[in-house]
Amino acid sequence: MTPSVDPISAPAVDEVDPSTGLTAAEVAQRVAAGETNAYEADTSRSAASIIRANVFTLFNGIVFACFGVLFALGRWQDALFGFAAVANAVIGSVQEFRAKAALDRLALLNAAAARVRRDGVEAEIAPGEVVLGDILVLRAGDQVPADARVVTSRGLQIDESMLTGEADAVDKRPGDDALSGSIVVGGDGDAQVVRVGADAYANAFADEAKRFSLVGSELRDSINRVLTWVGWGIGPIGLLVLNAQMQVAGGWRSAWQSGAWVQAVVNTIASLTAMIPLGLVLMTSITFAVGAARLAARQVLVNELPAVEGLARVDVICLDKTGTLTEGQITYGDATVLVEADRWQRVLGWYGTAPDANATARTLRGPFGEEAPLEASESIAFSSARKWSAVSFAGAEGTWVLGAPEMIFGASATDRNDPLGAVVIDRAASGRRTLVLGLAPASLTAAQADAEELPAHVRPVAVLTFREKVRSDAAQTLEYFREQGVGIRVISGDNPRTVAAIAREVGLDVDEGYDARTLPDDDDALADVMEEQHVFGRVSPEQKKRMVVALQSRGHTVAMTGDGVNDALAIKTADIGIAMNSGAAATKAVARLVLLDGRFSHLPDVVAEGRQVIANIERVSMLFLTKTTYATLLAILFGVLLLEFPFLPRQLSITDGLTIGIPAFFLALMPNAQRYIPGFLRRSLSFAIPAGLVVAITLTTYTLIVRAAGIGVDEVRTGATIILAVVGIWILSVLSRPLNRYKGAVVGAMFVALVVIFSIGFARGFFVLVDPSQLTATVVAVCSLAAIIAVEIVRAVQKRVIARAEATGGTPAIAAHPTDAPRRPIPVSIAVVLVYLGGLASALFGLLFLLARYDVPGDEVFEVSLIGVGIMLFGLLSVAAAAGLSHASGLSRVFVTAATGVLVALQVWSLVVSHDWSWWSAVQIVVYAVVVTGLWAPPAGGYFRPVLHAGRG
């Protein structure tokens, strides 16, 4: 909705002579009266709204209510989950405050200076120093600082697209309004300020223009969808669980009278808080923030944090030639005279020294601007839409026209058989920008100048060439994108042959560019052209946005780079807009990413960060969504079966923290070059739902078995916590594959931390963990092994299904470097199978050996515990590293070899400690000897990659 500011209803101001402007005294009088353009914009989003959005949410309300209830009941030990919610709210608020500060800096009205005429002298002042009645001197590239009324116009054209959304530049004549915030794209003129400060259109428009909007993010949208689903289910499921816990306590009346309702409420809170994936939101916020900080260190400003993700999803990037592939600094080349004409050099000097000369025309000052300038009688200013300008001089008949050859002379400029066409084609093919200077016999009339009509009977006088320096990093960057499967479209207003020559210079395989003047009007036909062609010349500002929309209509995720005002709408329309810091202020204001030092080579860094964000959040989301799934299913199953919930909230804090929260933090920030493929939520749920189902069924089965055996409630909870911890660690290791030294350290550290908690007296007391009986230990071991095998099956099936989906209908975006996997030797294949089987067996054996510590003399407890933990840990790590063996990872071979060596040593130690021969240990030792032999046998030598080349992802 646009603001209700009517340009026609501007207050009356005293007319001022445009040639002199206001006097110093008049300016002082207006400043004293407060009639200045000073304006302090309201913030785009209030602090209260940010706090409200991050603190007063449904899930925070549930968590903090549960937190308060536990404190009121004196069960503060079970309220540890509240700290995660506090951290989430704080970090979310901090990130939005950062976004708010960035938006407030990107005010719509951010022109560097305003040009005014006072006391007959032109001066540049700050926009806030403009006063009511000032005469603004407007030239191409200026941003109008305050609402004004045009008093003189020489082909003045203003782009109001940033305010109105209308793409076409508007011709302005005396009496027309020039709105603040609009951009002068052609001609020049004077305008008198009629409205300033808060009353100006741009400032009235600011609230709408700076509305807090977010770039499209598959990660954020998917997570919000999950939160919505959980939000709908948490109420009914909570009531179901509460009823079950009260029934277990003897019924509602009995539980209330006996005080057992307190434990029922605690159990219900444990089930509800486990369902909420609060940490997933936290990890996403942290990952986006860290990615943005890393890019800022590389001189890339991220205006919206999810834009870090965005470029990794891009599969087509549209590049503006000037300022992107080239440095944007144009130098004059040479002139080829076609027809002798008097004073053509002085005419070029006039073009070079004209007040409204653009960057190309200004390069003519040096070679042609030394003589006294001619006096123009009538002129038509240059326009990027028509791509030519014209001028007639006093005392001389004729009109000189300077512009793009094709726009002035049509087909003859592209015909090799025409003298003009032959020169233009030859110069353009070398990568030079070409302009033609022509002469018409008749002088311009005032009517023709106002109508901006091309003079008749123009004949070419000289062809001018201009050079642009190609960026040194352009070829390397484009090669990177080609390797990643990203389509490249080069878009420019220059001659198609010039654009194609520059494209070839940076490594693109193109013959000739496509002339955008022949683009079809039909959108579907335009989309077909955009799919087939890659280099476009003579593109008008209006066509750039149509090109982006056409690509998006074919399912592409489009990035657009540029620096000019005429790029602003296309950049705003693109999925990811990228602006150069040297570009127009309006262009930077709508871009998602700004390259602060203008180096195109930073884009691969952005892609790398985006990949890391997507791949790591996908991995982390599987952890959190698995927890949400099994917590929800457990709540439903235990509610229907009227079973006491098998965890205290504090016990879930153990498994949440050490199998999900803490490792997720490290995994979310690790390097990861995995390719991006759409379908983040589908892939995450394809693992999380079946894995969560496995965990829920396992815990329910365990509970039914031990309950039937008459095991006490504390022992039941301890066993359930052990199962959840072991299976949770296994899920963590499965999702961390292929394992490297960093992820191995994280998984190992979490496992050791769990064992420490289960071993230290204080921790066991705080978390209410007791020594399990032989029956409970056996059930725990069997259930854990069954769950581990089921999780392995789930992951294998999921990866196969995803691979098939990608092969048949997946949309490749930015892919990893293609590699042809070598054929795996038979000894290696045997070793891989044995590592999986031996690792699983070791994990089970280690768990049983660890639980046996309760039946050994006190002086042997530590030794038995250490052996059991070591066998479990290294068995788990060897299985995790086995995935790398399948991908020819030399690092995985070394890792598995080291792990098997440790396992052999631990098995030998177990034989010594137990003082008895164990065929189980002997078989394990033989298996690992076969594994090492298979991995290092001669056939494996050419299969594995060198360790130094092993990936870190």
Side-chain angles (χ1 to χ4, degrees):
M1 179 178 178
T2 55
S4 56
V5 176
D6 182 8
I8 306 300
S9 63
V13 296
D14 297 333
E15 291 189 7
V16 177
D17 183 359
S19 62
T20 59
L22 295 176
T23 64
E26 290 172 327
V27 170
Q29 180 182 1
R30 284 164 170 75
V31 170
E35 297 174 343
T36 69
N37 200 40
Y39 173 70
E40 183 176 349
D42 292 333
T43 56
S44 54
R45 200 175 187 199
S46 68
S49 68
I50 292 176
I51 296 297
R52 186 166 55 248
N54 285 279
V55 177
F56 301 103
T57 65
L58 171 63
F59 291 123
N60 280 347
I62 295 172
V63 169
F64 290 135
C66 294
F67 189 81
V69 169
L70 290 174
F71 264 89
L73 295 176
R75 299 290 291 270
W76 60 268
Q77 303 96 326
D78 288 310
L80 300 179
F81 59 84
F83 297 106
V86 172
N88 186 63
V90 170
I91 293 177
S93 298
V94 169
Q95 294 310 317
E96 286 212 33
F97 275 119
R98 291 180 69 251
K100 162 187 158 59
L103 286 172
D104 289 342
R105 287 194 299 269
L106 293 174
L108 178 64
L109 187 58
N110 52 7
R115 190 181 299 104
V116 298
R117 185 177 293 116
R118 293 175 177 175
D119 290 320
V121 178
E122 290 185 13
E124 290 190 355
I125 61 175
E129 297 176 4
V130 173
V131 300
L132 190 67
D134 253 329
I135 297 297
L136 301 177
V137 180
L138 303 177
R139 293 172 187 158
D142 290 347
Q143 190 172 32
V144 182
D147 291 351
R149 185 160 293 135
V150 177
V151 292
T152 64
S153 171
R154 291 170 292 280
L156 184 64
Q157 291 185 320
I158 292 182
D159 181 355
E160 298 176 342
S161 61
M162 296 300 299
L163 300 173
T164 66
E166 187 64 40
D168 295 330
V170 180
D171 294 322
K172 295 294 185 179
R173 296 178 174 81
D176 290 343
D177 294 296
L179 298 177
S180 57
S182 57
I183 310 294
V184 179
V185 295
D188 63 271
D190 301 327
Q192 184 177 16
V193 175
V194 296
R195 191 163 39 223
V196 293
D199 295 330
Y201 188 84
N203 293 329
F205 191 80
D207 289 340
E208 185 72 18
K210 298 198 307 177
R211 176 184 296 170
F212 187 82
S213 63
L214 295 173
V215 65
S217 167
E218 183 184 3
L219 296 181
R220 184 190 59 224
D221 294 343
S222 298
I223 292 170
N224 287 341
R225 198 176 311 149
V226 170
L227 294 178
T228 300
W229 296 340
V230 175
W232 280 104
I234 201 168
I237 293 175
L239 292 175
L240 177 66
V241 174
L242 178 61
N243 177 68
Q245 304 311 299
M246 296 295 278
Q247 296 301 328
V248 169
W252 286 80
R253 177 175 296 178
S254 175
W256 184 260
Q257 292 174 346
S258 66
W261 64 270
V262 173
Q263 188 59 50
V265 170
V266 172
N267 292 345
T268 303
I269 289 175
S271 69
L272 292 182
T273 55
M275 291 172 57
I276 302 174
L278 281 176
L280 181 56
V281 181
L282 176 61
M283 287 300 108
T284 305
S285 299
I286 291 175
T287 307
F288 279 149
V290 171
R294 287 172 175 164
L295 290 175
R298 298 187 180 104
Q299 296 298 299
V300 178
L301 174 64
V302 180
N303 285 339
E304 294 182 19
L305 295 181
V308 177
E309 164 203 350
L311 193 57
R313 296 189 287 110
V314 165
D315 60 357
V316 174
I317 183 167
C318 297
L319 307 170
D320 180 40
K321 175 183 70 68
T322 303
T324 302
L325 297 183
T326 65
E327 293 184 352
Q329 296 178 349
I330 302 170
T331 59
Y332 169 74
D334 56 25
T336 302
V337 179
L338 302 175
V339 176
E340 288 295 338
D342 293 336
R343 304 197 303 175
W344 66 271
Q345 293 97 334
R346 293 188 66 190
V347 171
L348 292 178
W350 180 89
Y351 272 109
T353 57
D356 61 346
N358 59 22
T360 303
R362 286 196 295 271
T363 64
L364 300 173
R365 290 179 183 177
F368 302 108
E370 295 181 357
E371 296 188 44
L374 299 170
E375 181 181 350
S377 58
E378 293 290 346
S379 65
I380 301 175
F382 176 81
S383 163
S384 59
R386 61 174 183 273
K387 302 186 187 303
W388 58 265
S389 59
V391 61
S392 294
F393 297 104
E397 193 67 20
T399 300
W400 294 89
V401 182
L402 179 66
E406 302 90 341
M407 308 303 287
I408 300 174
F409 295 99
S412 63
T414 58
D415 183 1
R416 287 188 177 275
N417 297 319
D418 186 279
L420 171 63
V423 174
V424 170
I425 292 172
D426 178 64
R427 297 295 189 271
S430 66
R432 298 181 182 182
R433 176 181 291 189
T434 57
L435 295 180
V436 65
L437 178 67
L439 177 62
S443 296
L444 280 176
T445 64
Q448 288 176 321
D450 289 339
E452 299 179 354
E453 295 177 359
L454 180 67
H457 310 298
V458 180
R459 59 192 179 100
V461 173
V463 175
L464 312 177
T465 63
F466 302 84
R467 297 187 182 93
E468 292 183 90
K469 184 179 180 181
V470 175
R471 290 183 181 273
S472 59
D473 55 8
Q476 180 182 357
T477 304
L478 293 185
E479 175 64 22
Y480 171 84
F481 280 115
R482 280 198 304 275
E483 289 179 356
Q484 307 308 305
V486 180
I488 297 171
R489 305 292 185 272
V490 180
I491 299 173
S492 175
D494 281 348
N495 185 300
R497 288 187 176 87
T498 301
V499 184
I502 295 292
R504 287 192 295 270
E505 189 173 344
V506 296
L508 296 183
D509 184 16
V510 294
D511 293 328
E512 292 189 357
Y514 190 96
D515 193 331
R517 293 174 298 167
T518 64
L519 283 174
D521 294 329
D522 180 72
D523 291 337
D524 287 336
L526 175 60
D528 291 335
V529 173
M530 294 302 297
E531 292 282 2
E532 298 169 0
Q533 301 293 326
H534 297 85
V535 176
F536 299 85
R538 296 302 178 212
V539 182
S540 67
E542 301 80 34
Q543 290 174 317
K544 290 186 178 182
K545 179 181 176 181
R546 286 192 63 217
M547 290 172 140
V548 171
V549 173
L551 288 168
Q552 290 171 328
S553 71
R554 294 298 171 90
H556 293 293
T557 303
V558 183
M560 176 73 194
T561 70
D563 58 357
V565 172
N566 55 3
D567 299 321
L569 275 182
I571 285 177
K572 186 176 183 179
T573 304
D575 298 282
I576 295 294
I578 305 166
M580 303 295 175
N581 196 41
S582 58
T587 304
K588 291 187 289 183
V590 298
R592 308 295 189 184
L593 302 172
V594 180
L595 306 182
L596 297 178
D597 58 3
R599 291 179 58 188
F600 184 47
S601 58
H602 287 314
L603 292 186
D605 294 333
V606 182
V607 172
E609 285 296 337
R611 276 189 182 176
Q612 178 171 314
V613 166
I614 292 177
N616 285 342
I617 290 299
E618 181 168 332
R619 175 185 290 154
V620 167
S621 72
M622 291 185 192
L623 286 173
F624 283 101
L625 295 180
T626 298
K627 187 201 83 164
T628 296
T629 301
Y630 71 64
T632 303
L633 292 175
L634 277 177
I636 295 173
L637 288 172
F638 278 67
V640 171
L641 297 175
L642 298 179
L643 295 173
E644 184 172 4
F645 199 69
F647 301 102
L648 294 173
R650 72 189 81 172
Q651 292 168 340
L652 286 175
S653 297
I654 301 174
T655 56
D656 285 357
L658 295 181
T659 69
I660 301 175
I662 296 175
F665 177 82
F666 291 102
L667 293 178
L669 302 179
M670 282 184 176
N672 196 325
Q674 180 179 327
R675 63 173 290 181
Y676 164 76
I677 300 173
F680 155 76
L681 183 59
R682 175 179 55 82
R683 286 192 303 276
S684 296
L685 292 178
S686 67
F687 175 82
I689 291 177
L693 184 62
V694 166
V695 175
I697 292 176
T698 299
L699 288 170
T700 303
T701 302
Y702 157 79
T703 303
L704 290 173
I705 293 174
V706 295
R707 283 286 191 186
I711 301 298
V713 63
D714 287 341
E715 188 173 337
V716 171
R717 289 171 179 160
T718 299
T721 305
I722 293 174
I723 292 175
L724 189 56
V726 171
V727 178
I729 283 286
W730 199 271
I731 291 173
L732 173 63
S733 69
V734 165
L735 295 178
S736 298
R737 298 172 189 169
L739 210 62
N740 57 31
R741 57 187 178 274
Y742 304 105
K743 288 183 281 189
V746 171
V747 175
M750 297 304 104
F751 185 86
V752 171
L754 282 171
V755 172
V756 169
I757 288 177
F758 278 89
S759 301
I760 296 177
F762 170 76
R764 292 174 60 196
F766 180 83
F767 291 106
V768 195
L769 301 173
V770 300
D771 294 340
S773 64
Q774 187 66 42
L775 173 63
T776 302
T778 302
V779 176
V780 166
V782 173
C783 288
S784 298
L785 179 62
I788 286 171
I789 294 174
V791 168
E792 289 288 343
I793 295 173
V794 166
R795 182 58 166 169
V797 172
Q798 184 228 14
K799 292 177 71 173
R800 186 177 296 273
V801 170
I802 289 176
R804 186 181 299 118
E806 292 174 9
T808 57
T811 304
I814 296 183
H817 292 277
T819 57
D820 296 325
R823 186 177 183 84
R824 189 164 60 198
I826 293 177
V828 176
S829 298
I830 295 174
V832 171
V833 173
L834 291 178
V835 168
Y836 275 113
L837 295 177
L840 289 171
S842 292
L844 175 61
F845 178 80
L847 179 60
L848 292 173
F849 203 88
L850 176 63
L851 294 176
R853 67 181 181 168
Y854 302 115
D855 298 324
V856 300
D859 59 340
E860 295 181 6
V861 169
F862 176 77
E863 199 171 16
V864 170
S865 299
L866 188 60
I867 294 173
V869 169
I871 293 176
M872 282 184 65
L873 174 60
F874 284 96
L876 183 153
L877 294 178
S878 64
V879 173
L885 298 178
S886 302
H887 294 88
S889 169
L891 179 62
S892 293
R893 178 169 66 159
V894 173
F895 195 97
V896 169
T897 302
T900 54
V902 173
L903 285 168
V904 168
L906 289 170
Q907 293 287 356
V908 172
W909 192 5
S910 71
L911 290 174
V912 174
V913 170
S914 62
H915 307 293
D916 194 11
W917 176 258
S918 170
W919 283 104
W920 180 267
S921 297
V923 170
Q924 290 268 310
I925 293 172
V926 172
V927 166
Y928 287 128
V930 174
V931 167
V932 173
T933 302
L935 293 180
W936 294 94
Y943 172 71
F944 290 103
R945 297 190 303 273
V947 174
L948 292 179
H949 294 170
R952 294 173 62 189

